[in-house]
Amino acid sequence: MSDNRSHLEEKYTWDLGTIFASDNDWEQEVQALNAALDQAKSDAGHLLDSSSQLLRITQTQLALSRRIETVYVYAHMKNDQDTTVAKYQEYQSKAAALYARFGEVYSFYEPEIMALDEETLSDFEAQEAGLKPYRHYFERLLKNKKHVLTPHEEELLAGAQEIFNAPEDTFGILDNADMSFPTIVDDQGQEVEITHGNFIKLMESKDRKVRQAAFEALYQTYEQFQHTYAKTLQSNVKVHNFQARVHHYDSARQAAMSANFIPEAVYDTLLASVHKHLPLLHRYLKLRQEVLGLSELKMYDIYTPLSEVDLAVSYDEALAKTEKILEVFGPDYAKRVHRAFTERWIDVHVNKGKRSGAYSGGAYDTNAFMLLNWQDTLDSMYTLIHETGHSMHSTFTRETQPYVYGDYSIFLAEIASTTNENILTEALLKEVTDDKERFAILNHYLDGFRGTVFRQTQFAEFELAIHQADQAGQVLTSDYLNNLYATLNEKYYGLPKAENHYIQYEWARIPHFYYNYYVYQYATGFAAASYLAHKIVHGQPEDIERYLDYLKAGNSDFPLAVIAKAGVDMTDTTYLDEAFAVFEKRLTELEALVAKGVLH
């Protein structure tokens, strides 16, 4: 087990004392917020009494939201650093309850604002100049006005939320708690039980027998439960289609995307472009087959790394290298990266009770903290530069925008982080001299692209197909889902479905199919990032300026207008074509290294 937190060097831990100097200060703020929420209750029913009331209530709501955000961030980060401390478990519960209470108190706000028409808003702005900065905020709320039902109807639907969440909740319990998988023999000759946590590691095994055994054991288990999984997924799709229909949308996709102000053309452009470039994926898989020395490639051969090189890197080395690489963005960006790396924004090492994974967090009034669980690997360095991208995005947005626009849409979030990853790849390829290391870096990039752009688009296509099928009256039986998924998988990977029988059950284990049109954003984000990184490294100084304008924009405009500031039109195929051009260039280079015999 890793060390207790008390044994860690302070410089490798984040400094949450910059949020609240003491736990006592946090508790006093929670009390003060509860009192303020008591007072705010009386504002219900009075939002549009006058221009001054609209301004006062809007400002009060945003100010309370801003304070609660800070309270919540402190509690959840204290809990994340060591989840065994009961005090901070309780803090996190109190903070979550405060958010819920805030939601209840201000549940009047959105229904009341829907009574606002353009003429009244213009009159109010003429009477009260203080309303002008909130014009875009009101515009966002009113954009989907025709899809908001009466307060009573919305209240009924809100009350049924727990029922609507049941399919996803059932999937979660079945998949994480009730499912158990068989035991196989691993590379070391040890018996090991397959889990969600070790499955990919087993699929990366150099021993093909281990990969095949893990693959077949996992999917044979899903095969046994396919009818139950089909029912949970079908019910979930029905919930999405029902909610879209009652809110007067043409489809669940239109409802999900309009919530983020993204036109459906972005989705269709992605599918069409990926279809056009599928021969590149088939070419990469052909190369994979050649490198692995196989007479035929199977789905369980997709994940094993082609390189034997282990590029070890310590945290302090990664920090110095990342700081140097990110100087490409200019002095403003570099100065903020230096602050993050030297002023204890990062919680670095694994310790007993620390939550797994990595994230960039924080609130409008705090540093953009990062949680890592560092290992001395190239992957950890990619994670560091990825989370730094999120943190710089947050920092520039919060410094530039008022609180009302001080966040950014999920659609844009992954672009800043993945652009950094792509810039790291560019830098590593520029400096590497050893062919074997170059091969490892190219392989890492191509696998990342395959897993994010091609695979997530395959998921997005499946998700669209099942929602449309249900809308057309098709029953989503396991037979229907298996056949649909196997056909799509054959189209994407070019591997015959008859010879890859078990992949037809993969849909059953993907939690993202319960997220309501979320996965396409991984693919658009990665492609945009690949395009932008290439422009930043090889383009003009104004490309960097435009990119920084995107980082600073926050929610001050609609998402597509914000990313257009960086020079990307996401309704057009150009950014995707450019991303695929980078993929092809690196694939060609990998093919040349193989032909050169670099692996022998």
Side-chain angles (χ1 to χ4, degrees), residues 181-230:
F181 300 102
T183 298
I184 63 157
V185 177
D186 70 8
D187 312 55
Q188 277 77 49
Q190 303 290 319
E191 289 216 339
V192 55
E193 185 184 343
I194 298 169
T195 64
H196 290 303
N198 68 15
F199 177 64
I200 293 298
K201 192 132 193 64
L202 292 165
M203 295 303 294
E204 290 171 350
S205 169
K206 295 286 182 194
D207 185 335
R208 197 179 194 210
K209 287 194 182 73
V210 172
R211 300 198 299 268
Q212 182 177 356
F215 184 83
E216 291 180 357
L218 182 100
Y219 287 118
Q220 280 166 1
T221 311
Y222 278 101
E223 183 180 15
Q224 290 170 38
F225 293 93
Q226 58 179 304
H227 304 297
T228 307
Y229 278 105

Short mmCIF file of all heavy atoms in Angstrom, two decimals, residues 181-230:
data_model
loop_
_atom_site.label_atom_id
_atom_site.label_comp_id
_atom_site.label_asym_id
_atom_site.label_seq_id
_atom_site.Cartn_x
_atom_site.Cartn_y
_atom_site.Cartn_z
N PHE A 181 -16.29 -12.00 -13.35
CA PHE A 181 -15.73 -12.60 -14.55
C PHE A 181 -14.83 -13.78 -14.19
O PHE A 181 -14.32 -13.86 -13.08
CB PHE A 181 -14.95 -11.54 -15.34
CG PHE A 181 -15.80 -10.37 -15.75
CD1 PHE A 181 -15.74 -9.17 -15.05
CD2 PHE A 181 -16.67 -10.47 -16.83
CE1 PHE A 181 -16.54 -8.09 -15.42
CE2 PHE A 181 -17.47 -9.40 -17.21
CZ PHE A 181 -17.41 -8.21 -16.51
N PRO A 182 -14.59 -14.67 -15.16
CA PRO A 182 -13.78 -15.85 -14.88
C PRO A 182 -12.31 -15.53 -14.58
O PRO A 182 -11.86 -14.39 -14.75
CB PRO A 182 -13.88 -16.66 -16.19
CG PRO A 182 -15.04 -16.09 -16.92
CD PRO A 182 -15.15 -14.66 -16.50
N THR A 183 -11.61 -16.55 -14.16
CA THR A 183 -10.18 -16.47 -13.89
C THR A 183 -9.43 -17.02 -15.10
O THR A 183 -9.86 -18.00 -15.71
CB THR A 183 -9.86 -17.31 -12.65
OG1 THR A 183 -10.57 -16.75 -11.54
CG2 THR A 183 -8.37 -17.30 -12.32
N ILE A 184 -8.33 -16.35 -15.47
CA ILE A 184 -7.47 -16.88 -16.55
C ILE A 184 -6.03 -16.92 -16.05
O ILE A 184 -5.72 -16.39 -14.97
CB ILE A 184 -7.56 -16.03 -17.83
CG1 ILE A 184 -7.04 -14.60 -17.59
CG2 ILE A 184 -8.96 -15.99 -18.39
CD1 ILE A 184 -6.59 -13.89 -18.83
N VAL A 185 -5.14 -17.47 -16.83
CA VAL A 185 -3.72 -17.51 -16.48
C VAL A 185 -3.02 -16.37 -17.22
O VAL A 185 -3.14 -16.24 -18.44
CB VAL A 185 -3.09 -18.88 -16.87
CG1 VAL A 185 -1.59 -18.88 -16.58
CG2 VAL A 185 -3.78 -20.00 -16.11
N ASP A 186 -2.31 -15.48 -16.47
CA ASP A 186 -1.67 -14.31 -17.08
C ASP A 186 -0.26 -14.63 -17.60
O ASP A 186 0.19 -15.79 -17.57
CB ASP A 186 -1.67 -13.12 -16.11
CG ASP A 186 -0.73 -13.32 -14.93
OD1 ASP A 186 0.04 -14.30 -14.92
OD2 ASP A 186 -0.75 -12.47 -14.01
N ASP A 187 0.46 -13.58 -18.03
CA ASP A 187 1.81 -13.73 -18.61
C ASP A 187 2.78 -14.44 -17.66
O ASP A 187 3.70 -15.12 -18.09
CB ASP A 187 2.43 -12.35 -18.92
CG ASP A 187 1.51 -11.44 -19.68
OD1 ASP A 187 0.38 -11.21 -19.21
OD2 ASP A 187 1.92 -10.95 -20.74
N GLN A 188 2.59 -14.20 -16.35
CA GLN A 188 3.50 -14.78 -15.35
C GLN A 188 3.09 -16.20 -14.94
O GLN A 188 3.67 -16.78 -14.03
CB GLN A 188 3.55 -13.90 -14.09
CG GLN A 188 4.49 -12.70 -14.17
CD GLN A 188 3.90 -11.58 -14.99
OE1 GLN A 188 2.75 -11.20 -14.78
NE2 GLN A 188 4.67 -11.07 -15.93
N GLY A 189 2.05 -16.72 -15.58
CA GLY A 189 1.58 -18.06 -15.23
C GLY A 189 0.73 -18.07 -13.97
O GLY A 189 0.44 -19.12 -13.40
N GLN A 190 0.32 -16.84 -13.52
CA GLN A 190 -0.51 -16.73 -12.31
C GLN A 190 -1.99 -16.74 -12.70
O GLN A 190 -2.37 -16.16 -13.72
CB GLN A 190 -0.21 -15.41 -11.58
CG GLN A 190 1.24 -15.21 -11.18
CD GLN A 190 1.66 -16.15 -10.07
OE1 GLN A 190 0.90 -16.38 -9.14
NE2 GLN A 190 2.86 -16.70 -10.19
N GLU A 191 -2.80 -17.34 -11.84
CA GLU A 191 -4.25 -17.25 -12.04
C GLU A 191 -4.72 -15.87 -11.63
O GLU A 191 -4.39 -15.38 -10.56
CB GLU A 191 -4.96 -18.32 -11.20
CG GLU A 191 -4.73 -19.73 -11.72
CD GLU A 191 -5.97 -20.61 -11.55
OE1 GLU A 191 -6.82 -20.27 -10.71
OE2 GLU A 191 -6.08 -21.61 -12.28
N VAL A 192 -5.47 -15.22 -12.52
CA VAL A 192 -5.95 -13.86 -12.22
C VAL A 192 -7.41 -13.74 -12.64
O VAL A 192 -7.80 -14.21 -13.71
CB VAL A 192 -5.06 -12.79 -12.90
CG1 VAL A 192 -4.95 -13.02 -14.40
CG2 VAL A 192 -5.57 -11.38 -12.65
N GLU A 193 -8.21 -13.16 -11.74
CA GLU A 193 -9.63 -12.95 -12.08
C GLU A 193 -9.75 -11.68 -12.91
O GLU A 193 -9.18 -10.65 -12.57
CB GLU A 193 -10.46 -12.80 -10.79
CG GLU A 193 -11.95 -12.71 -11.07
CD GLU A 193 -12.79 -12.45 -9.81
OE1 GLU A 193 -12.28 -12.65 -8.70
OE2 GLU A 193 -13.95 -12.04 -9.97
N ILE A 194 -10.48 -11.76 -14.02
CA ILE A 194 -10.67 -10.58 -14.87
C ILE A 194 -11.58 -9.59 -14.14
O ILE A 194 -12.58 -9.97 -13.54
CB ILE A 194 -11.32 -10.98 -16.21
CG1 ILE A 194 -10.40 -11.95 -16.96
CG2 ILE A 194 -11.59 -9.75 -17.07
CD1 ILE A 194 -11.06 -12.60 -18.15
N THR A 195 -11.20 -8.32 -14.20
CA THR A 195 -12.04 -7.23 -13.64
C THR A 195 -12.07 -6.11 -14.69
O THR A 195 -11.29 -6.11 -15.64
CB THR A 195 -11.42 -6.66 -12.35
OG1 THR A 195 -10.16 -6.06 -12.67
CG2 THR A 195 -11.22 -7.73 -11.28
N HIS A 196 -12.97 -5.14 -14.47
CA HIS A 196 -12.98 -3.96 -15.36
C HIS A 196 -11.62 -3.25 -15.29
O HIS A 196 -11.14 -2.72 -16.28
CB HIS A 196 -14.09 -2.99 -14.95
CG HIS A 196 -15.47 -3.50 -15.23
ND1 HIS A 196 -15.87 -3.89 -16.49
CD2 HIS A 196 -16.53 -3.71 -14.41
CE1 HIS A 196 -17.13 -4.30 -16.44
NE2 HIS A 196 -17.55 -4.21 -15.19
N GLY A 197 -11.02 -3.28 -14.12
CA GLY A 197 -9.76 -2.58 -13.90
C GLY A 197 -8.57 -3.20 -14.62
O GLY A 197 -7.69 -2.49 -15.09
N ASN A 198 -8.54 -4.55 -14.72
CA ASN A 198 -7.34 -5.17 -15.32
C ASN A 198 -7.57 -5.66 -16.76
O ASN A 198 -6.64 -6.17 -17.39
CB ASN A 198 -6.81 -6.32 -14.44
CG ASN A 198 -7.75 -7.53 -14.39
OD1 ASN A 198 -8.67 -7.67 -15.19
ND2 ASN A 198 -7.53 -8.40 -13.43
N PHE A 199 -8.78 -5.52 -17.29
CA PHE A 199 -9.08 -6.08 -18.61
C PHE A 199 -8.18 -5.49 -19.71
O PHE A 199 -7.58 -6.22 -20.50
CB PHE A 199 -10.56 -5.88 -18.97
CG PHE A 199 -10.92 -6.37 -20.34
CD1 PHE A 199 -10.82 -7.72 -20.66
CD2 PHE A 199 -11.33 -5.49 -21.34
CE1 PHE A 199 -11.14 -8.19 -21.94
CE2 PHE A 199 -11.65 -5.94 -22.61
CZ PHE A 199 -11.56 -7.29 -22.92
N ILE A 200 -8.05 -4.16 -19.74
CA ILE A 200 -7.23 -3.54 -20.80
C ILE A 200 -5.76 -3.95 -20.65
O ILE A 200 -5.07 -4.20 -21.63
CB ILE A 200 -7.40 -2.00 -20.81
CG1 ILE A 200 -8.82 -1.61 -21.24
CG2 ILE A 200 -6.38 -1.34 -21.75
CD1 ILE A 200 -9.23 -2.04 -22.64
N LYS A 201 -5.31 -4.04 -19.40
CA LYS A 201 -3.92 -4.48 -19.16
C LYS A 201 -3.72 -5.89 -19.75
O LYS A 201 -2.70 -6.18 -20.38
CB LYS A 201 -3.63 -4.46 -17.67
CG LYS A 201 -2.18 -4.62 -17.31
CD LYS A 201 -1.75 -3.56 -16.28
CE LYS A 201 -0.26 -3.47 -16.13
NZ LYS A 201 0.45 -3.03 -17.34
N LEU A 202 -4.69 -6.76 -19.55
CA LEU A 202 -4.61 -8.12 -20.11
C LEU A 202 -4.66 -8.08 -21.65
O LEU A 202 -4.00 -8.87 -22.32
CB LEU A 202 -5.74 -9.00 -19.56
CG LEU A 202 -5.63 -9.34 -18.06
CD1 LEU A 202 -6.95 -9.89 -17.54
CD2 LEU A 202 -4.49 -10.34 -17.80
N MET A 203 -5.44 -7.14 -22.18
CA MET A 203 -5.53 -7.00 -23.65
C MET A 203 -4.24 -6.44 -24.24
O MET A 203 -4.01 -6.53 -25.44
CB MET A 203 -6.70 -6.09 -24.03
CG MET A 203 -8.07 -6.64 -23.67
SD MET A 203 -8.39 -8.24 -24.41
CE MET A 203 -8.41 -7.78 -26.11
N GLU A 204 -3.41 -5.81 -23.39
CA GLU A 204 -2.13 -5.26 -23.85
C GLU A 204 -1.00 -6.29 -23.74
O GLU A 204 0.14 -6.01 -24.09
CB GLU A 204 -1.76 -4.01 -23.03
CG GLU A 204 -2.65 -2.81 -23.33
CD GLU A 204 -2.43 -1.65 -22.37
OE1 GLU A 204 -1.73 -1.83 -21.34
OE2 GLU A 204 -2.95 -0.55 -22.64
N SER A 205 -1.33 -7.48 -23.24
CA SER A 205 -0.32 -8.53 -23.04
C SER A 205 0.39 -8.86 -24.35
O SER A 205 -0.22 -8.88 -25.42
CB SER A 205 -0.98 -9.79 -22.48
OG SER A 205 -0.08 -10.87 -22.52
N LYS A 206 1.68 -9.15 -24.24
CA LYS A 206 2.46 -9.57 -25.42
C LYS A 206 2.13 -11.02 -25.79
O LYS A 206 2.42 -11.47 -26.89
CB LYS A 206 3.97 -9.46 -25.12
CG LYS A 206 4.45 -8.03 -24.89
CD LYS A 206 4.51 -7.26 -26.18
CE LYS A 206 5.04 -5.84 -25.97
NZ LYS A 206 4.79 -4.99 -27.12
N ASP A 207 1.53 -11.74 -24.85
CA ASP A 207 1.20 -13.16 -25.07
C ASP A 207 -0.22 -13.25 -25.66
O ASP A 207 -1.21 -12.92 -25.00
CB ASP A 207 1.27 -13.91 -23.73
CG ASP A 207 1.05 -15.41 -23.89
OD1 ASP A 207 0.40 -15.82 -24.87
OD2 ASP A 207 1.51 -16.17 -23.01
N ARG A 208 -0.29 -13.70 -26.91
CA ARG A 208 -1.58 -13.71 -27.60
C ARG A 208 -2.59 -14.63 -26.92
O ARG A 208 -3.80 -14.38 -26.92
CB ARG A 208 -1.38 -14.13 -29.06
CG ARG A 208 -2.58 -13.78 -29.93
CD ARG A 208 -2.39 -14.17 -31.36
NE ARG A 208 -3.40 -13.53 -32.20
CZ ARG A 208 -3.86 -14.05 -33.32
NH1 ARG A 208 -3.39 -15.21 -33.76
NH2 ARG A 208 -4.79 -13.42 -34.02
N LYS A 209 -2.10 -15.72 -26.33
CA LYS A 209 -3.02 -16.66 -25.64
C LYS A 209 -3.71 -15.97 -24.47
O LYS A 209 -4.88 -16.21 -24.20
CB LYS A 209 -2.24 -17.88 -25.14
CG LYS A 209 -1.81 -18.85 -26.23
CD LYS A 209 -1.37 -20.17 -25.59
CE LYS A 209 -0.89 -21.17 -26.64
NZ LYS A 209 0.44 -20.79 -27.18
N VAL A 210 -2.96 -15.09 -23.75
CA VAL A 210 -3.53 -14.34 -22.62
C VAL A 210 -4.60 -13.37 -23.14
O VAL A 210 -5.71 -13.28 -22.59
CB VAL A 210 -2.43 -13.57 -21.85
CG1 VAL A 210 -3.04 -12.63 -20.80
CG2 VAL A 210 -1.46 -14.54 -21.19
N ARG A 211 -4.29 -12.66 -24.23
CA ARG A 211 -5.25 -11.70 -24.81
C ARG A 211 -6.55 -12.42 -25.22
O ARG A 211 -7.64 -11.97 -24.90
CB ARG A 211 -4.65 -11.00 -26.04
CG ARG A 211 -3.40 -10.22 -25.79
CD ARG A 211 -3.12 -9.23 -26.89
NE ARG A 211 -2.91 -9.77 -28.21
CZ ARG A 211 -1.73 -10.11 -28.74
NH1 ARG A 211 -0.64 -10.00 -28.00
NH2 ARG A 211 -1.64 -10.55 -29.98
N GLN A 212 -6.37 -13.52 -25.93
CA GLN A 212 -7.55 -14.26 -26.41
C GLN A 212 -8.39 -14.79 -25.24
O GLN A 212 -9.62 -14.67 -25.25
CB GLN A 212 -7.11 -15.41 -27.32
CG GLN A 212 -8.31 -16.17 -27.90
CD GLN A 212 -7.90 -17.28 -28.86
OE1 GLN A 212 -6.72 -17.45 -29.16
NE2 GLN A 212 -8.88 -18.04 -29.34
N ALA A 213 -7.71 -15.33 -24.24
CA ALA A 213 -8.42 -15.90 -23.09
C ALA A 213 -9.21 -14.82 -22.35
O ALA A 213 -10.37 -15.02 -21.98
CB ALA A 213 -7.44 -16.58 -22.15
N ALA A 214 -8.57 -13.65 -22.14
CA ALA A 214 -9.24 -12.54 -21.44
C ALA A 214 -10.44 -12.05 -22.23
O ALA A 214 -11.53 -11.83 -21.69
CB ALA A 214 -8.25 -11.42 -21.20
N PHE A 215 -10.23 -11.86 -23.52
CA PHE A 215 -11.28 -11.35 -24.42
C PHE A 215 -12.50 -12.27 -24.42
O PHE A 215 -13.63 -11.83 -24.21
CB PHE A 215 -10.67 -11.24 -25.83
CG PHE A 215 -11.57 -10.64 -26.87
CD1 PHE A 215 -11.68 -9.26 -27.00
CD2 PHE A 215 -12.29 -11.45 -27.75
CE1 PHE A 215 -12.50 -8.69 -27.97
CE2 PHE A 215 -13.11 -10.89 -28.73
CZ PHE A 215 -13.21 -9.51 -28.83
N GLU A 216 -12.24 -13.56 -24.62
CA GLU A 216 -13.36 -14.50 -24.73
C GLU A 216 -14.05 -14.72 -23.39
O GLU A 216 -15.29 -14.79 -23.33
CB GLU A 216 -12.86 -15.84 -25.32
CG GLU A 216 -12.46 -15.67 -26.78
CD GLU A 216 -11.96 -16.95 -27.43
OE1 GLU A 216 -11.87 -17.99 -26.73
OE2 GLU A 216 -11.67 -16.92 -28.65
N ALA A 217 -13.28 -14.73 -22.30
CA ALA A 217 -13.89 -14.92 -20.97
C ALA A 217 -14.79 -13.74 -20.61
O ALA A 217 -15.89 -13.92 -20.09
CB ALA A 217 -12.79 -15.09 -19.92
N LEU A 218 -14.32 -12.50 -20.91
CA LEU A 218 -15.12 -11.31 -20.59
C LEU A 218 -16.42 -11.32 -21.39
O LEU A 218 -17.51 -11.17 -20.84
CB LEU A 218 -14.33 -10.04 -20.90
CG LEU A 218 -15.09 -8.75 -20.55
CD1 LEU A 218 -14.62 -8.18 -19.22
CD2 LEU A 218 -14.93 -7.69 -21.63
N TYR A 219 -16.31 -11.53 -22.72
CA TYR A 219 -17.50 -11.40 -23.56
C TYR A 219 -18.44 -12.61 -23.46
O TYR A 219 -19.65 -12.46 -23.68
CB TYR A 219 -17.10 -11.09 -25.01
CG TYR A 219 -16.62 -9.66 -25.13
CD1 TYR A 219 -15.32 -9.37 -25.53
CD2 TYR A 219 -17.46 -8.59 -24.78
CE1 TYR A 219 -14.87 -8.06 -25.60
CE2 TYR A 219 -17.01 -7.28 -24.84
CZ TYR A 219 -15.72 -7.01 -25.26
OH TYR A 219 -15.29 -5.71 -25.31
N GLN A 220 -17.92 -13.77 -23.09
CA GLN A 220 -18.83 -14.91 -22.82
C GLN A 220 -19.73 -14.59 -21.63
O GLN A 220 -20.89 -14.98 -21.58
CB GLN A 220 -18.02 -16.18 -22.55
CG GLN A 220 -17.53 -16.86 -23.82
CD GLN A 220 -16.45 -17.90 -23.56
OE1 GLN A 220 -16.06 -18.15 -22.41
NE2 GLN A 220 -15.94 -18.50 -24.62
N THR A 221 -19.15 -13.83 -20.66
CA THR A 221 -19.95 -13.42 -19.49
C THR A 221 -21.04 -12.44 -19.91
O THR A 221 -22.20 -12.57 -19.50
CB THR A 221 -19.03 -12.79 -18.41
OG1 THR A 221 -17.92 -13.65 -18.20
CG2 THR A 221 -19.78 -12.61 -17.10
N TYR A 222 -20.68 -11.47 -20.76
CA TYR A 222 -21.70 -10.53 -21.25
C TYR A 222 -22.76 -11.25 -22.09
O TYR A 222 -23.93 -10.88 -22.05
CB TYR A 222 -21.05 -9.38 -22.04
CG TYR A 222 -20.52 -8.30 -21.14
CD1 TYR A 222 -19.17 -8.22 -20.83
CD2 TYR A 222 -21.39 -7.39 -20.54
CE1 TYR A 222 -18.69 -7.24 -19.96
CE2 TYR A 222 -20.92 -6.41 -19.67
CZ TYR A 222 -19.57 -6.35 -19.38
OH TYR A 222 -19.11 -5.39 -18.52
N GLU A 223 -22.33 -12.26 -22.82
CA GLU A 223 -23.28 -13.03 -23.64
C GLU A 223 -24.38 -13.64 -22.75
O GLU A 223 -25.56 -13.62 -23.11
CB GLU A 223 -22.52 -14.15 -24.37
CG GLU A 223 -23.40 -14.97 -25.31
CD GLU A 223 -22.60 -16.07 -26.02
OE1 GLU A 223 -21.47 -16.38 -25.59
OE2 GLU A 223 -23.14 -16.63 -26.98
N GLN A 224 -23.99 -14.12 -21.56
CA GLN A 224 -24.97 -14.72 -20.64
C GLN A 224 -26.01 -13.71 -20.17
O GLN A 224 -27.14 -14.06 -19.87
CB GLN A 224 -24.26 -15.27 -19.40
CG GLN A 224 -23.40 -16.50 -19.65
CD GLN A 224 -22.56 -16.81 -18.41
OE1 GLN A 224 -23.03 -16.66 -17.28
NE2 GLN A 224 -21.32 -17.23 -18.62
N PHE A 225 -25.60 -12.44 -20.08
CA PHE A 225 -26.51 -11.40 -19.54
C PHE A 225 -27.01 -10.44 -20.62
O PHE A 225 -27.52 -9.37 -20.31
CB PHE A 225 -25.78 -10.61 -18.45
CG PHE A 225 -25.46 -11.42 -17.22
CD1 PHE A 225 -24.22 -12.05 -17.09
CD2 PHE A 225 -26.39 -11.56 -16.20
CE1 PHE A 225 -23.92 -12.81 -15.96
CE2 PHE A 225 -26.10 -12.32 -15.08
CZ PHE A 225 -24.87 -12.95 -14.95
N GLN A 226 -26.87 -10.84 -21.88
CA GLN A 226 -27.16 -9.91 -22.99
C GLN A 226 -28.60 -9.40 -22.97
O GLN A 226 -28.85 -8.23 -23.31
CB GLN A 226 -26.85 -10.57 -24.34
CG GLN A 226 -27.62 -11.87 -24.59
CD GLN A 226 -27.30 -12.48 -25.94
OE1 GLN A 226 -27.45 -11.83 -26.96
NE2 GLN A 226 -26.86 -13.73 -25.95
N HIS A 227 -29.55 -10.23 -22.55
CA HIS A 227 -30.96 -9.81 -22.59
C HIS A 227 -31.24 -8.73 -21.54
O HIS A 227 -31.99 -7.79 -21.78
CB HIS A 227 -31.88 -11.02 -22.40
CG HIS A 227 -31.62 -12.10 -23.40
ND1 HIS A 227 -31.79 -11.93 -24.75
CD2 HIS A 227 -31.15 -13.38 -23.23
CE1 HIS A 227 -31.45 -13.05 -25.39
NE2 HIS A 227 -31.06 -13.94 -24.48
N THR A 228 -30.60 -8.88 -20.38
CA THR A 228 -30.78 -7.87 -19.32
C THR A 228 -30.15 -6.55 -19.74
O THR A 228 -30.75 -5.48 -19.58
CB THR A 228 -30.12 -8.36 -18.00
OG1 THR A 228 -30.65 -9.66 -17.70
CG2 THR A 228 -30.41 -7.42 -16.86
N TYR A 229 -28.93 -6.62 -20.29
CA TYR A 229 -28.27 -5.39 -20.75
C TYR A 229 -29.07 -4.72 -21.88
O TYR A 229 -29.16 -3.50 -21.94
CB TYR A 229 -26.84 -5.69 -21.22
CG TYR A 229 -25.85 -5.76 -20.08
CD1 TYR A 229 -25.37 -6.99 -19.63
CD2 TYR A 229 -25.39 -4.61 -19.45
CE1 TYR A 229 -24.46 -7.06 -18.58
CE2 TYR A 229 -24.49 -4.66 -18.39
CZ TYR A 229 -24.02 -5.89 -17.96
OH TYR A 229 -23.13 -5.95 -16.92
N ALA A 230 -29.66 -5.54 -22.76
CA ALA A 230 -30.47 -4.97 -23.85
C ALA A 230 -31.67 -4.22 -23.26
O ALA A 230 -32.04 -3.14 -23.75
CB ALA A 230 -30.94 -6.08 -24.78
#
